Amino acid sequence: MKRWLSFLFGIWISVAAFCAEKSSNGLLAKGTKWETTFYQRDSGQPGPVVVLTGGIHGNEPAGTAAAEQIRHWPITRGMLIVIPRANVPGLRDGTRFLPGEPPQLRDLNRQFPKTKNATDARGILATALWEFVGEQKPDWVIDLHEGFDFNQLNSKSVGSTIIDAKGKAAAIVVPLMLQAVNAEITDPKKKLIRLRYPVDGSLARAAHERLAATAMILETTSKSQPLSLRARQHRLMVHALLKHLQMTADSPHVLVPTKTESLCVAIYDAGGVGGNGPRNLDRVLRGMKHVLVQRVGAEDIRGGTLSRFDLAIFPGGSGSKQAAALESKGRAAIQQFVKRGGGYLGICAGSYLAAANYEWSLGISNHRTFCKTIDLPKLGRKSMWYRGSSTTVKMELTEIGRKILGNQKDTLDVRYHNGPIMSPMGVEGLSDFLTLANFRSEVSKYEPQKGTMVNTPAIIAGEFGGGRVLCISPHPESSKDLHTLVQNAIRWTARVDGGFSK
């Protein structure tokens, strides 16, 4: 009986703490070109104050991506303060430095109070950040960064490390953080290791020396690793810290809030994705209001992260390699996501992945692809999906396509790079697709391909369970003139528009 009462009391305490939690936000360096937003989650319960920063270096976007996700985590005690986009102009330009600043002031992470210098922070942004962090009286300061290479393979880079200041608290928690992140890394040389001491002039070092905070820099590695994986590694480390501090009981893979009025879009960017697809989609989505975008990887999908999203986008690359990276568990998770009402938008490789004619495909769209392998004289066996290098072809919207994608009656020039040539598969029990656009010109490399592309569907749409599936063979996301078309495709697939148009 006592054990049962203790269990109920624990639940009551957790619920009470959750109900007492307050979220707020504000601006730093307000009214300047450096203006940036901070987010505060106050549990209403006594506990540590943790300040988390991302994007101090604008060419290190993984820290910003992770911080934008972590700021949604419910906190059970203490306070979590997140500044996801410290260097907004640098992130926008993709540069390490503060755009327009002189050499002595351009590296934001060298402008905080130094060890042997009595002066305060230098520059408008560093001063605003330093004053704000000091006002919070933090117990912990965590700064998210990424290096260009793995430290164990290239000592000139601090990638894949935790760089902490000395102290008993760090000595206890850093091994826990390393254990959490390294559990998912198979290559010993790519595992994260511990380094010391944060560079002079950095926020972490200044916070340790001037504010007596336990401070550290978490470095992932950008080389050959997708953004979703680097952000995931940041999340694993931060979650291990917050769990140690008894500040959270939630999963480390909460990417979006439970309740939001924004359209939540997941962009797959991991195994099998090639080129600039995810970055082009980021540009498309930046032009839409009330949209929350996160990159996701195969591990995230297998872990069930899509359940909080409205739409998943799978861009170009290789459909079979995406399927292999997802594994059967990930593919089943996508099928369930769509069946339960989620939207699926596949572009080029993502349309191959959605098809119904491969053993590895999702089977959520009732189409097959032109993928014969033919013996050609003097050339040997060649697969017909390959039509050559990227080129421009013509595409025309159908009547229903103009209702969904935009009322453009003329033919459209669109980039094409071996997207699927789609036709009905005829799977019983799977809804037929609607053709939203047709190719009006074609490209071919081999003689048997001639005449097989022109007047075939370029964009199709259908339903799978309670969700919508829209497949695009070419690449309108890479042309600014066609961004509105892609935005309309996103809205329709995510059911922003309402009912399915027949």
Side-chain angles (χ1 to χ4, degrees):
M1 184 66 176
K2 288 182 179 179
R3 185 175 298 176
W4 177 245
L5 289 173
S6 176
F7 173 73
L8 290 176
F9 182 73
I11 294 177
W12 180 83
I13 289 293
S14 298
V15 171
F18 180 78
C19 292
E21 185 185 32
K22 295 180 180 179
S23 298
S24 59
N25 60 72
L27 296 174
L28 302 178
K30 188 175 181 180
T32 74
K33 69 175 183 178
W34 310 112
E35 184 174 284
T36 188
T37 305
F38 70 86
Y39 301 88
Q40 181 173 291
R41 299 189 76 99
D42 186 347
S43 68
Q45 303 297 319
V49 175
V50 177
V51 173
L52 179 76
T53 57
I56 277 185
H57 288 145
N59 65 339
E60 301 173 13
T64 286
E68 287 284 6
Q69 296 159 1
I70 292 167
R71 73 178 178 86
H72 300 299
W73 291 1
I75 299 301
T76 54
R77 78 181 192 115
M79 183 183 299
L80 176 65
I81 301 156
V82 182
I83 309 168
R85 305 175 63 83
N87 178 7
V88 173
L91 288 163
R92 183 183 59 240
D93 295 349
T95 178
R96 172 184 177 88
F97 301 121
L98 299 172
E101 290 294 274
Q104 66 272 22
L105 293 175
R106 66 180 186 170
D107 191 333
L108 178 58
N109 213 32
R110 303 294 183 273
Q111 307 310 318
F112 299 98
K114 295 189 176 182
T115 303
K116 296 181 179 180
N117 194 327
T119 60
D120 252 342
R122 302 190 303 168
I124 294 172
L125 180 55
T127 299
L129 285 168
W130 180 243
E131 290 179 352
F132 175 76
V133 172
E135 290 168 358
Q136 310 314 308
K137 297 180 172 56
D139 299 292
W140 297 79
V141 173
I142 312 298
D143 192 16
L144 307 183
H145 285 258
E146 51 184 325
F148 64 86
D149 204 351
F150 302 91
N151 178 260
Q152 291 196 78
L153 296 172
N154 183 353
S155 60
K156 293 181 179 180
S157 174
V158 292
S160 295
T161 65
I162 297 178
I163 309 171
D164 69 282
K166 296 177 181 178
K168 292 182 179 179
I172 294 171
V173 77
V174 168
L176 300 177
M177 297 165 72
L178 290 173
Q179 182 181 26
V181 68
N182 286 333
E184 293 190 354
I185 302 172
T186 56
D187 187 339
K189 292 295 184 180
K190 293 183 179 180
K191 289 181 180 289
L192 280 78
I193 61 172
R194 184 183 188 186
L195 296 180
R196 288 177 282 180
Y197 195 69
V199 65
D200 202 10
S202 66
L203 175 62
R205 182 160 174 166
H208 175 70
E209 294 179 346
R210 300 290 182 93
L211 304 178
T214 303
M216 60 186 73
I217 301 172
L218 310 186
E219 298 268 3
T220 57
T221 297
S222 59
K223 183 178 181 180
S224 303
Q225 297 195 124
L227 180 61
S228 62
L229 176 59
R230 286 134 54 197
R232 180 182 177 89
Q233 291 177 345
H234 277 310
R235 291 199 313 273
L236 285 167
M237 289 186 280
V238 174
H239 185 267
L241 169 64
L242 298 183
K243 185 178 179 181
H244 171 72
L245 298 175
Q246 299 180 344
M247 291 178 67
T248 183
D250 212 338
S251 164
H253 306 308
V254 173
L255 278 64
V256 294
T258 305
K259 295 180 180 180
T260 177
E261 294 181 359
S262 297
L263 174 67
C264 295
V265 179
I267 299 177
Y268 177 74
D269 74 344
V273 171
N276 295 318
R279 282 191 291 271
N280 288 333
L281 285 164
D282 284 338
R283 295 187 187 102
V284 170
L285 287 154
R286 275 199 294 270
M288 300 177 67
K289 295 181 180 179
H290 309 300
V291 176
L292 181 57
V293 183
Q294 302 287 5
R295 299 282 189 92
V296 300
E299 297 92 342
D300 299 320
I301 291 173
R302 287 194 292 271
T305 195
L306 290 182
S307 64
R308 293 198 180 194
F309 287 89
D310 303 299
L311 173 70
I313 304 180
F314 288 78
S318 166
S320 60
K321 290 180 179 178
Q322 290 182 18
L326 289 162
E327 300 176 355
S328 59
K329 184 177 180 180
R331 298 195 296 273
I334 298 169
Q335 291 168 334
Q336 287 301 310
F337 166 70
V338 181
K339 187 177 290 185
R340 292 171 181 167
Y344 178 101
L345 177 59
I347 299 176
C348 195
S351 296
Y352 281 105
L353 181 63
N357 61 308
Y358 298 101
E359 290 183 359
W360 47 261
S361 57
L362 297 172
I364 59 176
S365 178
N366 205 349
H367 73 269
R368 67 167 67 243
T369 69
F370 183 65
C371 57
K372 293 180 180 178
T373 299
I374 298 176
D375 284 309
L376 300 177
K378 299 181 180 180
L379 295 176
R381 291 181 65 79
K382 298 294 180 182
S383 179
M384 294 298 101
W385 70 265
Y386 181 74
R387 292 173 178 260
S389 302
S390 175
T391 189
T392 299
V393 298
K394 292 193 177 295
M395 175 180 75
E396 184 179 19
L397 301 183
T398 63
E399 182 179 353
I400 185 64
R402 288 193 293 271
K403 291 180 180 178
I404 291 174
L405 303 176
N407 191 23
Q408 302 185 61
K409 296 183 179 180
D410 298 329
T411 57
L412 305 169
D413 290 331
V414 61
R415 187 173 74 86
Y416 173 82
H417 193 193
N418 298 307
I421 308 305
M422 300 180 287
S423 61
M425 182 67 183
V427 175
E428 188 175 350
L430 186 58
S431 68
D432 294 335
F433 65 76
L434 297 175
T435 300
L436 306 186
N438 288 304
F439 287 116
R440 293 309 187 205
S441 67
E442 69 175 6
V443 58
S444 61
K445 184 175 179 64
Y446 306 114
E447 187 67 27
Q449 294 171 329
K450 292 180 178 179
T452 59
M453 177 176 173
V454 68
N455 296 329
T456 64
I459 305 176
I460 63 174
E463 292 181 321
F464 181 76
R468 290 178 171 180
V469 179
L470 193 145
C471 295
I472 303 174
S473 175
H475 288 277
E477 81 287 358
S478 65
S479 303
K480 188 174 181 180
D481 291 344
L482 297 177
H483 281 188
T484 299
L485 181 149
V486 182
Q487 290 167 359
N488 289 335
I490 289 168
R491 292 187 186 97
W492 182 86
T493 311
R495 293 188 182 276
V496 174
D497 66 313
F500 188 92
S501 301
K502 292 285 187 179

